[in-house]
Amino acid sequence: MAFIPGQPVTAVVQRIEIQKLRQGDNLILGFSIGGGIDQDPGQNPFSEDKTDKGIYVTRITPGGPADAAGLMMGDKIMQVNGWDMTMVTHDQARRTLTKKKEDVVRLLVTRKSLEEAVKQSMSYPRQ
Amino acid sequence: MPVDKFANMEEKLWILEDLNMMYIRQIALSLQDSDIQKKIDHEIRMRDGACKLLAACSQRDQALEAAKSLQTCSTRIMAYMSELQRMKEAQVMQKVTRRSSDAGPMDDRLPCKGKVAISDLRIPLMWKDTEYFKNKGELHRCAVFCLLQLGGEIFDTDMVIVDRTLTDICFDNTIVFTDASPGFELRVELYSCCSEDDYSAGSTPRKLASKLSSSLGRSAGKKLRAAMEPGPCSPVSNGGASPLLLPVPSVPGPKYHLLAHTTLSLSHVQDSFRTHDLTISGNEECSYWLPLYGSMCCRLAAQPHCMTQQMMSGCLKVKQCGGDPQSWTKVFAVLKGTSLFCYHRQEDVEANIEPAFTIAVNKETRIRASEKDPHSKVQNICISNQYGGEEVTHTLTTDSREDTHRWMEAFWQHFYDMSQWKQCCDDLMKIELPSPRKPAPVTPKQGSLYHEMVIESSDDLSSTVSDILARRLQELELRSQLGTSPTWMSVFDENNPKSAGRPRPCTSRLSGHSPCTPHRLPRSPVSPHRCPQTGLLSSDASLTSDSDSHCSTSPCSHHHGWPEPPSNFSLLSSSPSRLRPRTLSLDAKLSTLRGRGYGGGGTFQCPCQPPPSSLLAPIPISSRSPRSQRSTQTTLSCSSSTSSNSSSNSEGSHSPESSEGAPFSRPSPARRSLRNLRARLDPRNWLQSQV
């Protein structure tokens, strides 16, 4: 999932809609993120390309809203509610996900298995 | 005399206005449509109210809100008027046609209506980099809002004040239009009004105003003049119709001008966010100008009624093709969305019991009436679908010919609806109605990190900060629900007799699973950098080490007798009355505010995070020194200071998350941002945040 500066980024994405869960005064999503343009990308265990500074899902709380919506560990988040996540700092990403006024976040995520699936379906001839 | 002419004009305009109102009311009456009449009356009343409010209010933001309501009311009145005229026309045409020919049955099929919702409107701005980063010159602020119009429904969003610290104009409202046809046109208009305080020049007589504008600087004068009277960018604040039809009341106050507009239709509807182009009116000379990037991002969703409501229901007998010719299953069928749901009994529908089976009715389905079955007197309806590579056909039959006809009609209508609503019928799009909840606390404007630090400015910054701390101390005490401090805390009390009697709010904020492990070092042998700290651990362990390295303290720690710290760090006293106020550097402020303690179950994790289970034992002081030395070599790192953990944690390694049991509470934005600043500055870390 490397990108070439100046070229548009293309990826096979899946749309995931997560309903935030209210716990007391907080709205939680039930997952953790890592990465960002201000972080060291070499320490990202989920990225294929170790220069990728995108936002990745590092942990999913089992049974939480993200788990129910189909988010998986290792997914790279490309967009949140229309806001781009491929070129943001870690804090910006966290803030975009945790806006108090929003009950729902619509993510566009990409993962390796999606690309594989598309490749496979294109290689096999249709019966 | 120019002033007299002005007054004369005003009078004439008022008279025209009244005449227009009468005209509107007459049309409404003649149509005998009480619905529209009521709406128009309501809007006229609102408009009058807004005018009066505008004239009466003194504060700028009230005036802006009133002007916004005025704009909305005027637009609504225009819309109702045009609808009235259309209805009047239609009525007249109908009379004409009725006279000329027999009224035949309406053959045209009309598609079903639906709900259209637009949400998450975001308009990016394009400031010059000098303006945005260097913050030069005075802050030019504009008040903006969006007006959304679909058919006869007009809604406005909340007003947002925009200045050059904002990168996007965001409107949080979700607007739902309930009665839209597939050929709808949703017009989005962005209105803006300059929001400078000096420009309440509406009441200034013209002569004086021109004198002022010529004596002020060139750009200020230009703006003033433009604000006072519509210059080249004339206000189109009456919905674009001719000014005489509904003249803008000449009330002194802010006036909104159309900045940009666009029209959305069915082709723009999608379940995800899309970007659309804006047509911008006005230019840089106008007072209400904002540098728009030229596009708008939003989510436009539509729910046609054929997807959400039952289009047809009744009793049927169903047989699957290829089955036993005699095995008809009696069902109660409901046509909704992309399926025909077949329930065993009618009561199951309300009881929400799963249907017995479901037959797909979508764009690939083919439905036809079969040949007359020799066994029965009515025609059968065959529904064919392709499942995988196979074709599956269901045959339906009803009790009477009229029923069959009605079902066929319903299916045809359904197919027509789906062909008209196109992509909206593939899947049901979700439309969220904003839940009524108490208004969220005013969030700080988007901006730099330091905007989130809640430090009220006052003359003497140092005393203010001390006051803030003192106040927060009290808050923490009041809020504490947890038990008393662990017994070993008393060990550290002896070193600071002054604060012996002082309550220790930080300990009371311990989360259930990990106690406070104060980290104290003997004073003399270690360098002055070593400061005691009573931090809160658990997964917040990362943060306490930072206070360690900065010898800034939380009020929990007892520093009153502490030696003078090095120059760039200062101690913050928790009893402001006893020590002289100190000037604090920004770093110190940050770390003190942070060191004061966090909610349980911190969300901030570091790769060097030790598992919390090992935090439970209190640690003797002596063993701390070597570790703390090591950990404080990186002054700004968030590496763990919990020396209870062995060196199995290598810094920079990525250890698995360890706060599984932590509750999901999140600390306040100010503290979080401070934490983030510290952690972010260390390039060796790969941060993870729980959301």
Side-chain angles (χ1 to χ4, degrees):
Chain A
M1 294 180 235
F3 75 96
I4 303 168
Q7 301 296 317
V9 175
T10 53
V12 181
V13 290
Q14 180 178 348
R15 273 189 233 150
I16 293 188
E17 193 175 293
I18 307 183
Q19 299 276 344
K20 292 190 190 178
L21 181 64
R22 185 166 282 280
Q23 275 206 358
D25 202 24
N26 290 321
L27 284 167
I28 58 151
L29 289 158
F31 66 99
S32 298
I33 53 166
I37 53 178
D38 54 338
Q39 305 296 312
D40 175 13
Q43 296 182 43
N44 185 345
F46 301 106
S47 59
E48 232 182 77
D49 171 17
K50 288 302 168 189
T51 60
D52 184 0
K53 293 188 166 181
I55 305 288
Y56 282 78
V57 176
T58 57
R59 186 178 80 96
I60 308 260
T61 312
D67 192 22
L71 194 64
M72 295 175 53
M73 194 163 81
D75 286 353
K76 176 176 172 185
I77 303 181
M78 310 290 283
Q79 237 188 52
V80 171
N81 280 352
W83 294 92
D84 170 64
M85 288 284 123
T86 59
M87 244 338 113
V88 290
T89 64
H90 185 90
D91 200 48
Q92 279 171 349
R94 186 190 49 78
R95 266 190 257 150
T96 311
L97 284 162
T98 56
K99 288 200 180 143
K100 283 203 165 188
K101 285 197 179 174
E102 292 175 354
D103 283 338
V104 177
V105 283
R106 293 185 167 89
L107 312 180
L108 285 183
V109 302
T110 184
R111 58 179 86 101
K112 189 128 183 302
S113 54
L114 288 177
E115 306 232 10
E116 304 278 310
V118 169
K119 274 193 219 144
Q120 272 192 0
S121 67
M122 294 206 302
S123 61
Y124 288 127
R126 269 182 90 99
Q127 276 133 12
Chain B
M1 291 299 293
V3 183
D4 280 347
K5 250 204 263 178
F6 192 49
N8 248 349
M9 271 290 287
E10 273 194 47
E11 272 187 38
K12 288 190 188 148
L13 287 174
W14 287 333
I15 292 176
L16 275 169
E17 230 183 272
D18 287 339
L19 280 176
N20 284 328
M21 291 303 140
M22 272 180 51
Y23 169 66
I24 294 167
R25 287 196 171 104
Q26 283 291 73
I27 297 192
L29 266 173
S30 75
L31 274 174
Q32 286 169 342
D33 189 335
S34 56
D35 195 31
I36 291 232
Q37 198 181 342
K38 272 193 221 138
K39 282 198 265 188
I40 290 188
D41 275 345
H42 175 71
E43 288 304 321
I44 292 177
R45 272 201 301 272
M46 295 272 290
R47 189 164 169 273
D48 288 338
C51 290
K52 290 202 189 87
L53 185 60
L54 201 54
C57 67
S58 51
Q59 286 193 15
R60 187 74 188 175
D61 45 359
Q62 276 180 3
L64 287 169
E65 286 286 346
K68 175 171 90 101
S69 332
L70 183 62
Q71 178 68 48
T72 315
C73 293
S74 307
T75 319
R76 283 202 182 120
I77 293 177
M78 290 306 302
Y80 293 149
M81 270 176 48
S82 12
E83 195 176 323
L84 269 183
Q85 284 181 331
R86 254 184 288 120
M87 285 169 63
K88 187 81 182 167
E89 258 183 56
Q91 205 186 52
V92 167
M93 292 303 291
Q94 251 189 359
K95 284 195 195 126
V96 168
T97 51
R98 216 173 279 148
R99 259 185 259 127
S100 61
S101 66
D102 293 337
M106 296 288 285
D107 257 354
D108 312 85
R109 206 181 279 278
L110 292 171
C112 67
K113 302 267 175 144
K115 271 208 282 200
V116 172
I118 182 168
S119 61
D120 299 281
L121 269 160
R122 178 166 66 92
I123 301 173
L125 296 167
M126 191 173 61
W127 301 100
K128 290 205 205 82
D129 55 352
T130 46
E131 286 183 29
Y132 184 70
F133 288 110
K134 298 195 185 136
N135 231 348
K136 284 202 295 214
E138 75 265 2
L139 206 62
H140 175 61
R141 312 174 81 196
C142 280
V144 299
F145 73 97
C146 263
L147 211 58
L148 301 124
Q149 179 174 8
L150 193 155
E153 299 175 84
I154 297 179
F155 294 102
D156 58 348
T157 62
D158 292 335
M159 187 185 67
V160 175
I161 304 271
V162 177
D163 57 34
R164 61 163 171 266
T165 62
L166 242 64
T167 53
D168 302 73
I169 311 175
C170 296
F171 296 108
D172 296 323
N173 317 72
T174 306
I175 311 260
V176 180
F177 298 95
T178 44
D179 209 31
S181 63
F184 69 86
E185 289 214 342
L186 173 56
R187 192 172 154 88
V188 182
E189 290 172 346
L190 182 69
Y191 286 92
S192 86
C193 166
C194 178
S195 159
E196 314 284 0
D197 289 320
D198 332 319
Y199 300 154
S200 52
S203 47
T204 322
R206 287 203 181 175
K207 238 171 148 188
L208 181 58
S210 55
K211 264 208 190 134
L212 278 174
S213 61
S214 55
S215 61
L216 291 168
R218 240 184 80 224
S219 60
K222 226 194 290 182
K223 282 191 200 153
L224 191 59
R225 225 177 298 135
M228 267 207 26
E229 57 182 328
C233 5
S234 52
V236 193
S237 42
N238 51 10
S242 73
L244 282 182
L245 192 51
L246 193 67
V248 178
S250 31
V251 187
K255 284 192 177 53
Y256 282 95
H257 308 262
L258 180 67
L259 183 58
H261 68 94
T262 184
T263 308
L264 303 172
S265 61
L266 188 64
S267 53
H268 299 115
V269 174
Q270 206 184 356
D271 203 8
S272 61
F273 292 86
R274 282 182 65 172
T275 311
H276 312 276
D277 292 322
L278 282 176
T279 318
I280 304 181
S281 37
N283 53 45
E284 266 189 34
E285 301 297 315
C286 306
S287 64
Y288 57 87
W289 170 256
L290 281 173
L292 300 180
Y293 186 74
S295 56
M296 173 184 83
C297 181
C298 69
R299 180 175 178 263
L300 187 63
Q303 277 183 351
H305 289 156
C306 62
M307 298 293 288
T308 53
Q309 293 172 359
Q310 294 184 5
M311 301 306 288
M312 178 81 189
S313 56
C315 285
L316 289 175
K317 286 198 278 250
V318 184
K319 171 182 80 164
Q320 182 155 353
C321 210
D324 185 9
Q326 302 303 320
S327 70
W328 291 98
T329 324
K330 210 163 188 282
V331 295
F332 182 76
V334 171
L335 177 64
K336 184 165 100 156
T338 53
S339 332
L340 183 70
F341 300 99
C342 301
Y343 298 88
H344 282 303
R345 302 168 306 151
Q346 185 166 2
E347 296 74 32
D348 289 351
V349 184
E350 281 94 44
N352 269 338
I353 301 180
E354 288 291 312
F357 53 91
T358 309
I359 305 175
V361 177
N362 51 38
K363 297 190 184 133
E364 274 100 51
T365 313
R366 286 195 318 277
I367 299 190
R368 61 184 200 284
S370 68
E371 307 297 319
K372 259 232 171 98
D373 200 351
H375 298 284
S376 64
K377 39 186 180 4
V378 296
Q379 284 178 306
N380 292 340
I381 304 174
C382 292
I383 304 180
S384 321
N385 279 306
Q386 293 262 349
Y387 290 118
E390 299 178 17
E391 183 166 328
V392 179
T393 310
H394 295 270
T395 314
L396 314 174
T397 190
T398 59
D399 296 327
S400 68
R401 201 164 296 173
E402 293 80 31
D403 278 352
T404 312
H405 186 70
R406 276 195 299 127
W407 274 99
M408 285 305 290
E409 180 65 32
F411 285 129
W412 281 327
Q413 176 69 35
H414 201 68
F415 282 136
Y416 181 69
D417 291 341
M418 293 205 289
S419 72
Q420 291 294 300
W421 281 100
K422 303 193 181 120
Q423 74 270 21
C424 309
C425 291
D426 291 338
D427 241 331
L428 186 63
M429 294 188 196
K430 291 232 194 108
I431 291 182
E432 284 101 22
L433 292 167
S435 58
R437 66 175 101 91
K438 56 182 191 302
V442 176
T443 47
K445 267 195 318 199
Q446 261 178 288
S448 73
L449 172 69
Y450 298 124
H451 288 184
E452 291 183 28
M453 279 172 50
V454 191
I455 294 187
E456 296 88 17
S457 59
S458 83
D459 311 358
D460 186 4
L461 193 55
S462 53
S463 66
T464 307
V465 179
S466 314
D467 288 345
I468 293 173
L469 287 179
R471 255 186 282 127
R472 292 218 177 131
L473 262 181
Q474 289 161 9
E475 278 175 32
L476 291 171
E477 286 171 48
L478 293 169
R479 266 190 276 145
S480 72
Q481 299 296 328
L482 302 169
T484 56
S485 58
T487 45
W488 39 258
M489 275 300 290
S490 55
V491 172
F492 303 108
D493 281 349
E494 297 151 24
N495 283 337
N496 273 321
K498 276 190 196 168
S499 52
R502 243 191 130 65
R504 275 174 295 284
C506 68
T507 59
S508 59
R509 298 198 65 196
L510 298 174
S511 49
H513 49 271
S514 57
C516 178
T517 56
H519 179 115
R520 285 209 84 193
L521 295 165
R523 292 190 208 173
S524 35
V526 196
S527 80
H529 270 282
R530 299 288 167 269
C531 297
Q533 56 176 18
T534 323
L536 289 184
L537 303 176
S538 81
S539 37
D540 304 317
S542 43
L543 305 159
T544 59
S545 67
D546 293 334
S547 9
D548 174 36
S549 52
H550 298 295
C551 79
S552 46
T553 68
S554 57
C556 321
S557 56
H558 325 292
H559 282 270
H560 305 299
W562 207 243
E564 279 297 321
S567 52
N568 46 338
F569 301 114
S570 36
L571 291 171
L572 200 58
S573 98
S574 46
S575 57
S577 53
R578 290 183 224 172
L579 296 183
R580 59 174 173 81
R582 297 169 188 276
T583 4
L584 295 165
S585 69
L586 192 58
D587 287 67
K589 273 186 233 137
L590 291 177
S591 14
T592 49
L593 286 171
R594 189 185 4 130
R596 197 158 328 115
Y598 315 92
T603 61
F604 208 78
Q605 308 242 342
C606 268
C608 327
Q609 184 63 38
S613 53
S614 50
L615 294 180
L616 294 176
I619 307 300
I621 296 178
S622 54
S623 69
R624 292 208 186 212
S625 17
R627 185 137 6 235
S628 57
Q629 265 178 348
R630 212 186 321 137
S631 64
T632 52
Q633 265 158 17
T634 61
T635 48
L636 294 180
S637 86
C638 69
S639 52
S640 167
S641 71
T642 57
S643 28
S644 54
N645 298 297
S646 59
S647 46
S648 58
N649 295 317
S650 52
E651 289 176 347
S653 71
H654 171 77
S655 66
E657 305 262 323
S658 47
S659 63
E660 298 287 339
F664 281 115
S665 61
R666 231 178 268 127
S668 70
R671 295 180 188 147
R672 234 183 311 147
S673 59
L674 297 168
R675 256 201 276 174
N676 288 351
L677 177 69
R678 283 279 162 260
R680 179 193 316 179
L681 292 176
D682 185 348
R684 296 176 315 128
N685 289 309
W686 197 68
L687 303 177
Q688 297 174 53
S689 301
Q690 189 170 352
V691 296

